Amino acid sequence: MSDWQELERKYFMSTVERVPLTLVRGQGARVWDEDGREYLDFVGGWAVNSLGHCPPAVTEAVTEQAHILIQASNQFYTIPQIRLAELLVQNSCLDKVFFCNSGAEANEGAMKLARRYGQLHLGGAYEIITTIGSFHGRTLAMVAASGQPKFQQPYVPLPDGFINVEYNNVEAIKVATTNLTCAVMLEPVQGEGGVNLPDDDYLAEVRAWCDQRGILLILDEIQTGAGRTGTLFAYEQYGIEPDIMTLAKGLASGIPLGAFLAKDKASVFALGEHGSTFGGNPLACAAGYATLRFIIDNDIAGNARKVGQYLIERLESLRQKFQFITDVRGCGLLVALEFSEDIAGSLVMACLERGLLVNRVKPNALRFMPPLIIGRDEVDEASDILDKALSGVVS
Ligand SMILES: Cc1ncc(COP(=O)(O)O)c(C=O)c1O
């Protein structure tokens, strides 16, 4: 058998600190390595595998579509794209959709749309206010938008027009707003920043401020959308509606697909002002349609809410037992466990040895983003493994 990890070091640019595990197969919430060892997957393709690995409904839709039509230029109408756009609009507060291939690209498109809105309706305003600790992607503009210096520093100078302010602080947004501001862009819950939940009234206050100033509110629901936080979209839990929303990750079960959606008033692109070769191709949209249909028809978001609550309860009991657990927080099946020490890396390895995959979101915090189809049994299994791993760290 090849030494895949050695070959990776030889041929691949090392940008990712990988866990020493080569995965070859997945089914539901389980994955297997090249030696046939089984793992319970609480990383879920980084919040992508909402329906688990190789969900039959999606595998069948993709297989069928692959026999019919995989790619056609966006110069032509294709049916899966239109069906998915209709499903998204019917199940959200937005009116129009544009498809692309990733989260960063969806955010880029959303920001171009906001700038175009600024040109047309706000006297050329182009600045976008984003928050510190946010993550919006890896393109140059999204690195500038993401308020995380570690992603920004290696690439200065960055594109102009992004103001990073403190998260969960509406006053900071107010202070940063000028006549040059065309939009505020937020993750409803900061995912990569460490699963940071907003205060109850934050999003409503930001919405009210945007309305008062006539600027757009863009919600990046790339990680929180498609049922992850316990409702189809996280904004539903905060009693507000965005003008623009971006999606990717959980939208198509791992076939690359991103989207940005806008209210009619913000849908201001004219012919030729945006485009994509692959974006919205029939294969990706067949996967997206099958995924979203399944999520809606089977109330997968409701399952995420219930099972997520149970996961939080189980983690709370671990917190009673281990004094160094300082916080348990989350929403649906996007959950973090924080420690007083930087032990997340060793816990990832300790869980791996016991057959559980988890993510180190910060040096002192683990994140859980399992498939949304899991039940209490999988939570019990993961909690028991975590318990042993945590005991190992203290002893
Ligand atoms: C909230 C959010 N926005 C954008 C992105 C970027 O998505 P992608 O990696 O598909 O470009 C991510 C990825 O983690 C994300 O969590």
Side-chain angles (χ1 to χ4, degrees), residues 46 101-105 107 135-138 187 189 191-192 220-224 246 248-249 367:
W46 214 275
N101 312 283
S102 70
E105 215 187 313
N107 285 339
F135 184 79
H136 299 298
R138 300 288 198 154
E187 292 164 83
V189 175
E192 300 307 302
D220 175 344
E221 292 239 18
I222 283 159
Q223 189 155 148
T224 54
T246 58
K249 287 197 182 286
R367 175 175 44 170

